[in-house]
Amino acid sequence: MKQWTKEIEINAPIDHVWKYLDGSLENMQKIMPQVVSNEPVTVTEGMVGSIYLQKYKEGKRVMEYEVETLDYLDTPNEKKMKVGFTLGGMFEITAGYELVKIDEGRTRFIYTTTNKPLKWFVKLFLLFANDKVVVDFVERVKRVAENGEDN
């Protein structure tokens, strides 16, 4: 299993950043443009255990998978969400988003993702995996949150 964690400071209020992670499909697509659908299947009180059917477009191919909320916290000074899903029967993936209020106009964003191969032959792919996708993602969240909704 591989794990990557990246942290970045965003010059935007915590609630503004949170809406891209825990908001509408339209807001989610601003930071995850490949997500084409995110439909609730089961929504639980407190969110942990909620399941969404998500569709993700990679090139011309659309993959569909269930995303489960594994951890959830929404307070004025700290917000967290961790989700997990299995991609193509090949990888078990988790993504954790944590926001910490620095002050009224600044937020610390910590993104942690894990990738566990489910088949012996895909373990080779992880040998060459790097953090480029993770770095690109946190930088995109920062850019979108700081530059407003027009991205």
Side-chain angles (χ1 to χ4, degrees):
M1 179 169 76
K2 282 247 188 172
Q3 177 173 314
W4 296 271
T5 299
K6 288 294 170 199
E7 189 174 315
I8 199 164
E9 188 176 303
I10 299 174
N11 295 310
I14 191 169
D15 287 325
H16 178 75
V17 180
W18 186 238
K19 76 178 184 183
Y20 295 106
L21 299 165
D22 190 39
S24 67
L25 175 63
E26 182 183 342
N27 280 337
M28 182 190 291
Q29 287 174 324
K30 290 176 182 170
I31 60 168
M32 299 178 220
Q34 301 90 340
V35 174
V36 294
S37 173
N38 190 48
E39 298 295 324
V41 175
T42 307
V43 178
T44 63
E45 190 175 327
M47 295 305 290
V48 173
S50 293
I51 296 175
Y52 291 81
L53 186 62
Q54 198 168 87
K55 292 181 183 176
Y56 182 90
K57 190 170 185 177
E58 188 67 52
K60 292 182 179 183
R61 193 168 149 206
V62 175
M63 291 181 271
E64 183 176 274
Y65 45 88
E66 287 187 345
V67 177
E68 181 178 1
T69 304
L70 305 171
D71 189 17
Y72 190 87
L73 175 70
D74 185 358
T75 68
N77 296 320
E78 185 180 11
K79 300 179 186 299
K80 284 185 195 177
M81 181 167 42
K82 181 177 181 182
V83 297
F85 57 96
T86 300
L87 192 58
M90 301 282 203
F91 297 100
E92 216 171 74
I93 297 172
T94 66
Y97 315 101
E98 183 175 357
L99 301 177
V100 179
K101 181 178 180 175
I102 298 170
D103 59 34
E104 291 307 315
R106 293 182 305 148
T107 304
R108 177 172 295 112
F109 173 45
I110 303 136
Y111 175 58
T112 302
T113 185
T114 62
N115 193 326
K116 177 182 171 189
L118 298 176
K119 308 245 190 267
W120 67 269
F121 57 89
V122 294
K123 288 180 182 178
L124 296 172
F125 291 109
L126 283 186
L127 293 176
F128 304 103
N130 61 36
D131 66 353
K132 182 184 179 345
V133 171
V134 175
V135 170
D136 289 349
F137 179 69
V138 296
E139 289 175 353
R140 185 179 320 115
V141 172
K142 176 179 174 70
R143 189 175 60 249
V144 168
E146 288 179 354
N147 295 330
E149 315 229 358
D150 302 320
N151 295 343

